[in-house]
Amino acid sequence: MAALQELEHAFKDCMLGETLDMRGQVVSNAKASAEERVHVYVEGYRLRLLEVLEDSFPGLHGLLGDEQFGQMGRAYIAAHPSTHPSVRWFCQHLPEFLNSTGPYDAHPHLAEMAAFEWAQGLAFDSADVPPLDMQALATVPPEAWGEVKFQFHPSVQRLDLTSNMPKFWQALTAEEEPPAISSDEPVAWLVWRKELDTHWRSLGEDEAAMLDMAQHGASFGELCEGLCQWHAPEGVAMQAASYLKLWLSDGLITGIEVG
């Protein structure tokens, strides 16, 4: 058993790039040295991880092009070796990597594209929970509405972007001419899955704030108070109800808690 564990650890070290020495487990032959033979497996592993990055981030691939994407991918593999049993989670640190590693950190839209695509992936892979319908709200007594709290679909993702990466991504995937890359004030974005389709849309400041509060457990009464920053007090209940209706239509809400 000890010999098998030693072999497994040696092979893992090779795959993670710590060494190409298999400690005598792989030997040279007339065609190639032991190191060259091990390198075939190591390079195959790297190429598979690069394929995972390409599949998960087609928009980023389109921004960088084949050569630069490959260079970036290998740098990311070296900085963040895959450690999870599922290769699905290998990509999770890419937005942070691009935002903190040169030369990519000089181009913030790269990290934003990665964050936008990662949010789409999380939304698509989330658990399938049936959404709530409008009739469920009709069961709430009027006097209890101030204490109602909301549960959201696991697919709901929120992010703020300063660039036009969603429009750029949409053009790339539709094989259309993408717009010029632009940056402005941060815009709130919502990403979620409805049935088998991933959706996204931008949010106004008021809706974004209300959604963030609701996801953190704020009651309907507290949401109305928060909206007073943007709307007259006499109109906030109607505005909050309007957003709730939209969220229900989009399939964002999966349950309510009264009291």
Side-chain angles (χ1 to χ4, degrees):
M1 182 63 71
L4 177 59
Q5 289 179 339
E6 182 179 348
L7 176 61
E8 290 174 341
H9 286 301
F11 192 72
K12 182 199 72 173
D13 290 344
C14 285
M15 293 300 102
L16 297 182
E18 298 175 22
T19 175
L20 289 178
D21 181 8
M22 281 291 290
R23 304 169 194 171
Q25 300 291 346
V26 176
V27 298
S28 302
N29 61 20
K31 294 183 178 180
S33 67
E35 184 174 292
E36 289 172 333
R37 298 178 71 188
V38 171
H39 181 71
V40 171
Y41 289 96
V42 173
E43 182 62 12
Y45 175 70
R46 300 279 191 280
L47 291 174
R48 176 64 188 115
L49 291 181
L50 285 173
E51 288 178 2
V52 172
L53 287 172
E54 290 177 8
D55 290 342
S56 300
F57 300 95
L60 183 62
H61 188 192
L63 281 170
L64 290 173
D66 292 339
E67 183 176 352
Q68 291 189 48
F69 188 89
Q71 293 173 357
M72 180 279 300
R74 288 180 181 275
Y76 176 71
I77 292 169
H80 296 279
S82 181
T83 58
H84 196 279
S86 171
V87 75
R88 168 71 180 87
W89 298 104
F90 161 63
C91 306
Q92 62 183 319
H93 301 296
L94 186 59
E96 177 187 350
F97 171 81
L98 294 170
N99 202 39
S100 61
T101 306
Y104 314 108
D105 57 352
H107 308 280
H109 64 276
L110 296 177
E112 291 200 346
M113 175 65 86
F116 177 64
E117 293 190 293
W118 181 247
Q120 290 186 68
L122 290 177
F124 186 79
D125 290 344
S126 66
D128 189 14
V129 179
L132 204 65
D133 58 27
M134 290 290 294
Q135 293 182 346
L137 298 185
T139 64
V140 179
E143 65 274 11
W145 260 102
E147 302 303 318
V148 172
K149 297 181 180 182
F150 306 93
Q151 298 161 0
F152 288 84
H153 196 278
S155 69
V156 174
Q157 306 290 322
R158 267 277 294 110
L159 66 164
D160 297 316
L161 303 175
T162 61
S163 63
N164 60 338
M165 287 302 97
K167 291 184 178 180
F168 199 98
W169 184 93
Q170 191 170 31
L172 281 180
T173 55
E175 298 184 351
E176 299 173 352
E177 184 69 23
I181 297 171
S182 63
S183 297
D184 206 337
E185 294 298 317
V187 173
W189 287 87
L190 167 66
V191 181
W192 79 102
R193 191 191 76 238
K194 187 175 183 180
E195 297 179 348
L196 297 179
D197 296 320
T198 303
H199 300 264
W200 64 88
R201 63 179 175 87
S202 60
L203 305 173
E205 289 185 18
D206 58 341
E207 185 184 3
M210 179 176 167
L211 180 59
D212 292 344
M213 290 178 62
Q215 285 192 281
H216 284 87
S219 66
F220 184 77
E222 292 169 330
L223 298 180
C224 290
E225 290 179 10
L227 285 179
C228 287
Q229 181 177 345
W230 294 275
H231 303 278
E234 62 271 14
V236 293
M238 186 65 69
Q239 185 63 58
S242 175
Y243 283 140
L244 283 181
K245 183 178 179 180
L246 176 59
W247 296 351
L248 286 165
S249 175
D250 285 339
L252 305 184
I253 298 177
T254 58
I256 57 175
E257 176 185 341
V258 182

